[in-house]
Amino acid sequence: MEQANRIAVIGGGSWATALVKILCNNHDQVFWWMRSQTSIDHIEAFQHNPKYLQSVQFDTNQIVLSSDLAAILTQAEVIVIATPAAF
């Protein structure tokens, strides 16, 4: 089975953080949309999510982070939505 080259994860919580880490272990680049620009800046500076799974370290050279949803979606072949659902 051929591996998808461009995967985007939508969300900034613990589930999204875990998925991005797993995807980074298996792909050269992962696109990650987060609502919070402050969280994006923190990940780029310190290589971990400031609010969720703080012990998980990222190689920020593998991740394209953005708070611009359209910019992330236009790059993706596969989109993983990892946001909370309200019941």
Side-chain angles (χ1 to χ4, degrees):
M1 186 166 144
E2 187 175 318
Q3 206 178 67
N5 293 328
R6 294 183 309 238
I7 299 176
V9 176
I10 309 303
S14 57
W15 184 231
T17 302
L19 289 172
V20 169
K21 181 60 177 178
I22 291 167
L23 290 167
C24 283
N25 290 337
N26 297 294
H27 296 275
D28 294 333
Q29 189 174 53
V30 177
F31 297 87
W32 191 3
W33 175 86
M34 299 178 84
R35 178 177 49 186
S36 170
Q37 185 62 46
T38 302
S39 292
I40 290 170
D41 295 341
H42 184 93
I43 293 168
E44 289 174 340
F46 301 106
Q47 291 78 44
H48 68 90
N49 191 328
K51 296 180 181 178
Y52 303 97
L53 304 177
Q54 296 173 358
S55 64
V56 173
Q57 294 291 315
F58 293 102
D59 177 355
T60 53
N61 293 320
Q62 284 184 275
I63 302 170
V64 176
L65 284 154
S66 180
S67 60
D68 181 349
L69 185 58
I72 292 296
L73 294 179
T74 59
Q75 298 298 317
E77 294 173 333
V78 175
I79 301 165
V80 178
I81 300 174
T83 57
F87 290 94

